Amino acid sequence: MQPNSKILLAEDDDDMRRFLVKALENAGHAVVSFDNGLSAYHRLREEPFELLLTDIVMPEMDGIELARRATQLDPDIKVMFITGFAAVALNPDSQTPKDAKILSKPFHLRELVSEVDKLLAA
């Protein structure tokens, strides 16, 4: 694991966002979280992150648009979608970043941390 990896989390569900932040911080990551894609995008423009962890369905800017813009800003940023709508993310027309990982809800927090660590180590 890369200690202190900086993760930007965009998740509009307050409870889910709190659980994810706690699990990732307990695993040694620094997490900055937002409840919508637009706010997350503005933060991405201010500082670099190793990973964008985003829900797909959110107000103001969806996760796919956020991921597209994030990879334009920083081609090296890693992207992971967390969603109950995996088929949307897997749609070839959605133009999701090609190396993006998709984790379907519901998932266990250990699974999330494991997948994040694997992605960051890749």
Side-chain angles (χ1 to χ4, degrees), residues 79-95:
V79 177
M80 182 182 291
F81 294 109
I82 43 177
T83 183
F85 304 96
V88 175
L90 296 169
N91 179 342
D93 298 333
S94 65
Q95 298 175 301

Side-chain angles (χ1 to χ4, degrees), residues 27-76:
H29 300 290
V31 184
V32 177
S33 66
F34 292 93
D35 64 0
N36 68 77
L38 193 58
S39 298
Y41 175 66
H42 290 308
R43 184 61 180 268
L44 274 171
R45 294 178 58 163
E46 294 169 11
E47 67 177 298
F49 288 84
E50 279 84 28
L51 174 67
L52 170 63
L53 182 60
T54 182
D55 191 7
I56 291 181
V57 180
M58 290 185 295
E60 296 185 57
M61 180 189 298
D62 70 29
I64 292 171
E65 179 65 19
L66 174 59
R68 254 202 309 269
R69 292 187 185 193
T71 54
Q72 286 169 351
L73 286 173
D74 177 3
D76 294 328

Side-chain angles (χ1 to χ4, degrees), residues 105-120:
K105 295 176 186 173
F107 52 80
H108 196 284
L109 291 176
R110 277 197 304 262
E111 181 186 3
L112 169 81
V113 169
S114 169
E115 291 299 328
V116 163
D117 288 346
K118 272 195 266 185
L119 190 59
L120 288 169

